[in-house]
Amino acid sequence: MANKNKIFVYYFFSEPIKDNYDFRDDREFLIEFTINNCKLRLYKDQSNFIEMLKIEIINSDREPDFIAHYFKRYIQAVLRLCYLVEFKFSKVSSKMIGEFSDETDKPKLKEGKFIFTIENVVPVFNRQMFLNMLQLFSKKPSQVDLLSSNLNFIDDPIGSYSNLYKIIEFEFHRSDDKRDTKIILKASKLKEIVTKFNYEGKTGDSLIDYIVDMRHKCDHMKGSEFDTKFGFSPSNINDIKEVQKFIPTMIKICAHVIDPGFEID
């Protein structure tokens, strides 16, 4: 029995979002190209504006969602330089997953229009929770602002991590303390906080080392122990992946830094 190939097809839509899109497989495209064996197509609308990016990923050895969003950001950056400075893909996208043995049974989209709908989520205001948080965080408005502003870190994980680290700086760094940063943090209450977490076998002192090293890389500070001369780059997929993977843990640590009872799922 022939091995099954797995295909992931993503569609990303440029701003502003429209009510419907033409998803036909035989639809004429503006340009087709490949990156790392993945096929990408750009489509334009009737007014010749680029409205959609299609990405096909087959048998990826990496997380397909991560690859697709990485390509989206890269294509967006190039289009901003050579097409339109304000060009932007929406955060809303479409995804299809299928299996096939060979090109003859490769999944195809049905002809016609895909009616695009966006779920309208109505948030519920909890009066008591709001008042409790208002009082609890009143002495740390800058830290709370940094935390809330970087919960959505997908677009700029490197910048988001640098901002999250500032929460630790606010709490544990003093301008007159000239000791090494790692020594300062290991002697602070951060040590007690990070012992509650385990990230890839790192906890306590080793986790503090990782937090500080990550900050140096994100801020492009050279260190002899780093493999890269200029720190992390937003154009390096491995750099982005490493930061994105750790940020959810960093967010939880920062919540505890702001208040020991502050939990973020």
Side-chain angles (χ1 to χ4, degrees):
M1 182 176 180
N3 292 329
K4 286 288 186 180
N5 299 295
K6 200 157 191 176
I7 182 172
F8 298 81
V9 181
Y10 298 82
Y11 286 90
F12 295 101
F13 315 99
S14 60
E15 295 281 10
I17 288 293
K18 301 178 180 180
D19 291 332
N20 59 75
Y21 292 87
D22 188 348
F23 277 63
R24 289 177 298 119
D25 283 303
D26 61 352
R27 178 184 172 181
E28 182 181 358
F29 49 84
L30 178 64
I31 187 172
E32 180 180 278
F33 52 101
T34 60
I35 302 178
N36 296 342
N37 297 321
C38 299
K39 185 166 71 176
L40 295 87
R41 287 180 176 178
L42 285 171
Y43 296 89
K44 62 181 181 179
D45 59 18
Q46 293 181 345
S47 61
N48 291 322
F49 182 73
I50 294 176
E51 67 168 2
M52 188 165 65
L53 168 67
K54 178 183 179 181
I55 302 175
E56 287 188 8
I57 302 174
I58 299 176
N59 298 335
S60 174
D61 58 350
R62 294 176 180 263
E63 172 57 42
D65 287 356
F66 173 79
I67 296 294
H69 283 274
Y70 180 84
F71 285 162
K72 179 198 74 171
R73 288 189 62 217
Y74 178 56
I75 301 305
Q76 177 178 273
V78 174
L79 288 173
R80 283 177 174 176
L81 292 173
C82 71
Y83 177 62
L84 180 67
V85 174
E86 298 85 3
F87 186 88
K88 183 179 181 181
F89 285 116
S90 168
K91 292 182 180 180
V92 183
S93 62
S94 172
K95 174 182 176 181
M96 182 194 78
I97 303 175
E99 291 185 338
F100 66 99
S101 298
D102 52 49
E103 288 294 326
T104 59
D105 68 342
K106 189 175 179 180
K108 295 184 181 297
L109 293 171
K110 294 180 180 180
E111 292 188 2
K113 300 282 186 177
F114 175 82
I115 305 303
F116 196 75
T117 59
I118 302 176
E119 183 180 359
N120 184 21
V121 179
V122 180
V124 177
F125 179 72
N126 186 315
R127 181 177 181 274
Q128 192 56 51
M129 181 180 293
F130 173 78
L131 292 175
N132 290 344
M133 285 191 169
L134 204 63
Q135 181 178 6
L136 180 64
F137 302 140
S138 61
K139 295 182 179 179
K140 299 182 179 181
S142 297
Q143 293 92 316
V144 172
D145 180 52
L146 285 168
L147 184 66
S148 63
S149 299
N150 292 281
L151 292 177
N152 184 2
F153 54 86
I154 298 300
D155 289 339
D156 182 18
I158 292 177
S160 294
Y161 185 85
S162 295
N163 286 330
L164 288 168
Y165 185 86
K166 291 177 183 177
I167 295 173
I168 293 175
E169 286 186 316
F170 271 118
E171 193 70 24
F172 303 118
H173 286 223
R174 297 198 317 270
S175 59
D176 61 341
D177 194 336
K178 304 304 180 182
R179 293 178 298 167
D180 180 81
T181 299
K182 293 179 181 178
I183 294 176
I184 294 173
L185 295 181
K186 290 174 183 177
S188 70
K189 289 185 178 180
L190 181 64
K191 172 72 172 290
E192 180 182 341
I193 292 172
V194 298
T195 54
K196 300 176 183 178
F197 295 89
N198 188 310
Y199 179 76
E200 296 186 341
K202 303 177 185 69
T203 187
D205 287 349
S206 62
L207 187 50
I208 288 177
D209 288 339
Y210 187 79
I211 290 170
V212 176
D213 289 344
M214 180 78 76
R215 182 255 185 168
H216 290 331
K217 292 179 182 180
C218 288
D219 286 351
H220 303 278
M221 296 174 67
K222 183 179 178 181
S224 59
E225 70 272 30
F226 302 144
D227 293 329
T228 176
K229 183 177 180 181
F230 300 109
F232 280 161
S233 168
S235 62
N236 187 307
I237 191 169
N238 292 318
D239 292 348
I240 296 296
K241 186 175 182 180
E242 183 176 348
V243 183
Q244 282 186 331
K245 188 177 180 181
F246 180 61
I247 284 185
T249 300
M250 182 64 166
I251 288 174
K252 294 178 181 180
I253 291 172
C254 288
H256 280 268
V257 170
I258 293 174
D259 186 271
F262 188 15
E263 297 279 353
I264 291 184
D265 295 329

